[in-house]
Amino acid sequence: MADPADIYRSLPIAHRADVVVIGGGPAGFGAAVAAAEEGADTLLIERWGFLGGTATAGGVNPFMRYMSGEVVVNAGVFGRVLEALDERGARGGRDISDRERRQFDPEVLKILLDEMALAAGARLLLHSFMVEAVASDGRVERAVIANKSGLQAVEADLFIDASGDADLAARAGAEFEMGRDEDGLCQPMSLFFRTAGVDTDRLPTYEQINELYRPEKAAGRIDNPRDDVHGAIFTTHPGEITHNATRILAHDGTDAVSLTDAELQGRRQIRELMTFFKDKVPGFENACIGSIAAQVGVRETRRVIGDYVLTRDDFEQAAKFEDAVARGCFSIDIHSPTGHGLYGQRMPEGDWYDIPYRCLTPKGVDNLLVAGRPISCDHYIHGSLRVMPIAMSTGEAAGVAAAMAAADDLTTRGVDVAALRERLRARGASV
């Protein structure tokens, strides 16, 4: 029987670049923009027909916390995205207590990300899914992608895995972990949806909605394992609400069969919730489903084992590192893998933890960086750094580092981290 690696090596090279980024979500977008702006020929490969990942296809809204007190913890490319949303009147929302103004219009964001990526000089390849890697002697030789053109091989000097699930890293042989230590269970998934036609002036409070929800759940009319229903997240449009209210337990975001069932469960839960909202909650009488996310929201899958593993202790100590390339201040936010409750731990106002460059360098591979939620960390601090502002910041750091390595024919570990930090500061990143 033929060796699959030989088959993949025989594929014609469809694309070649200095830097190839797998995944066009917040991390991959940040990486591609940064690498291209720093002079690298950059190819961004994305499975959907648009960029944004969880922010667009996943329906996740709003951005999570990116300020700690008066300190802007996530800036750089992410800050430029916020400014561009402001210019288009596509950021804000009804919740005036949110001084960070984290809500955004995802449809405007799709167009904005296209324009920013192209303006940076990145090349885009949409509707393309990474399926395999060919690696030897600690280097990724090529990534194999599938799209309407068939199976194709892609070569680069440097690769950035921003797939969200460390797909490229895992297939290249990098070490990784999944889930919590005691049983390997990952955080549950959620399928986001939006309702339209809501009379928001008549909405009850969060607790009042849950006083209506709990009897329905106790009576078996709602099968959702959540103990309560998330409060209303107002959008940038009148009468529209985003809901983070589904909970899909014990599913594996790296397994196609499990992902399929997660999508089906999510839509069943949405149907139940809509019946509850319309029948029991004032303001929803004339509401309808405005949209259901194109993909289920996966909070946790693989976490690579890098040269440093960021931990809960680092969060609690607000750890600072000499090789820091990004920061985080969002709370540790862990939805129980078994269904009940939520574990939260806040960062003190005005403080943050650093993310060292060593968390982006997976052990055993010399021309691959990982950005976004699969970076090297434990289950607990992953509950903080998995969110979009931090993902875009680690992506920007990976993009600049990859461009530096490509320019000087270096491995990822050969990059001058002090110079990398200076470049990030010059770009406006918070380092």
Side-chain angles (χ1 to χ4, degrees):
M1 181 179 293
D3 184 341
D6 291 336
I7 296 173
Y8 296 137
R9 285 190 178 95
S10 71
L11 291 172
I13 303 302
H15 304 278
R16 178 74 175 79
D18 297 333
V19 177
V20 164
V21 182
I22 303 296
F29 169 78
V33 167
E37 288 179 340
E38 293 298 311
D41 175 22
T42 303
L43 176 66
L44 174 57
I45 297 171
E46 166 56 36
R47 64 171 170 158
W48 294 103
F50 48 86
L51 305 178
T54 51
T56 51
V60 177
N61 206 327
F63 295 122
M64 291 296 101
R65 187 180 184 212
Y66 58 87
M67 291 180 64
S68 183
E70 299 302 317
V71 179
V72 177
V73 173
N74 301 111
V77 171
F78 176 70
R80 287 158 54 190
V81 168
L82 296 182
E83 290 172 2
L85 286 167
D86 278 341
E87 290 170 1
R88 301 176 194 213
R91 177 173 165 231
R94 171 173 160 164
D95 187 353
I96 59 174
S97 66
D98 178 10
R99 65 190 178 88
E100 296 175 72
R101 296 173 52 247
R102 296 174 296 165
Q103 291 122 317
F104 58 91
D105 185 322
E107 305 309 319
V108 173
L109 183 64
K110 289 177 185 177
I111 300 169
L112 185 159
L113 297 182
D114 288 347
E115 294 172 356
M116 288 184 67
L118 294 173
R123 293 186 281 141
L124 305 183
L125 185 62
L126 305 177
H127 296 293
S128 298
F129 197 96
M130 200 287 301
V131 295
E132 194 51 81
V134 178
S136 63
D137 300 324
R139 290 184 63 83
V140 179
E141 296 176 17
R142 58 176 60 183
V144 179
I145 61 173
N147 56 31
K148 283 289 188 179
S149 301
L151 284 180
Q152 298 183 323
V154 178
E155 284 190 347
D157 298 322
L158 278 296
F159 288 87
I160 298 174
D161 186 340
S163 65
D165 300 308
D167 288 333
L168 179 59
R171 285 170 171 79
E175 298 177 55
F176 63 87
E177 297 178 332
M178 281 183 68
R180 57 188 186 183
D181 290 343
E182 57 265 37
D183 53 19
L185 289 178
C186 294
Q187 289 200 55
M189 303 179 192
S190 292
L191 184 59
F192 274 65
F193 66 105
R194 286 187 289 168
T195 49
V198 182
D199 184 350
T200 54
D201 291 332
R202 296 177 52 239
L203 279 181
T205 65
Y206 171 81
E207 184 52 43
Q208 287 169 338
I209 291 174
N210 281 300
E211 287 173 0
L212 299 170
Y213 172 84
R214 294 182 190 113
E216 296 298 299
K217 181 173 169 60
R221 288 185 287 273
I222 290 178
D223 192 39
N224 189 329
R226 287 189 68 111
D227 296 319
D228 55 19
V229 114
H230 199 287
I233 305 172
F234 297 105
T235 75
T236 54
H237 301 290
E240 188 178 79
I241 290 175
T242 297
H243 299 273
N244 176 10
T246 63
R247 179 165 288 178
I248 303 149
L249 303 174
H251 280 64
D252 181 353
T254 67
D255 179 86
V257 172
S258 190
L259 266 178
T260 298
D261 188 64
E263 299 279 7
L264 298 174
Q265 279 200 33
R267 287 192 284 273
R268 285 196 294 270
Q269 290 183 19
I270 289 171
R271 183 188 64 188
E272 287 183 348
L273 288 165
M274 280 304 298
T275 299
F276 161 67
F277 288 143
K278 288 178 70 69
D279 289 351
K280 301 293 182 180
V281 182
F284 279 93
E285 294 87 351
N286 298 310
C288 64
I289 296 175
S291 66
I292 297 175
Q295 68 177 56
V296 68
V298 179
R299 290 185 175 88
E300 180 182 16
T301 54
R302 302 183 187 101
R303 306 185 309 276
V304 300
I305 305 299
D307 294 323
Y308 183 82
V309 179
L310 204 65
T311 67
R312 179 180 180 176
D313 286 345
D314 292 321
F315 179 94
E316 292 175 343
Q317 296 166 14
K320 310 297 189 290
F321 298 93
E322 290 185 356
D323 64 335
V325 292
R327 296 173 175 176
C329 67
F330 182 58
S331 303
I332 291 179
D333 175 53
I334 297 178
H335 298 242
S336 172
T338 55
H340 300 287
L342 181 74
Y343 173 79
Q345 187 173 353
R346 289 186 64 84
M347 177 64 57
E349 286 293 305
D351 212 344
W352 65 88
Y353 60 89
D354 280 345
I355 299 173
Y357 179 62
R358 290 165 291 161
C359 291
L360 278 56
T361 52
K363 287 185 175 180
V365 193
D366 291 328
N367 69 332
L368 172 66
L369 294 167
V370 176
R373 62 179 169 85
I375 68 172
S376 181
C377 63
D378 70 9
H379 170 76
Y380 285 95
I381 200 168
H382 179 275
S384 166
L385 61 78
R386 62 183 171 82
V387 298
M388 296 184 287
I390 302 174
M392 201 174 293
S393 295
T394 60
E396 182 172 8
V400 175
M404 292 172 65
D408 294 330
D409 195 22
L410 302 171
T411 68
T412 55
R413 291 171 178 82
V415 170
D416 182 336
V417 179
L420 168 60
R421 283 163 52 83
E422 284 303 312
R423 282 302 310 144
L424 288 167
R425 290 193 190 99
R427 295 176 53 83
S430 298
V431 176

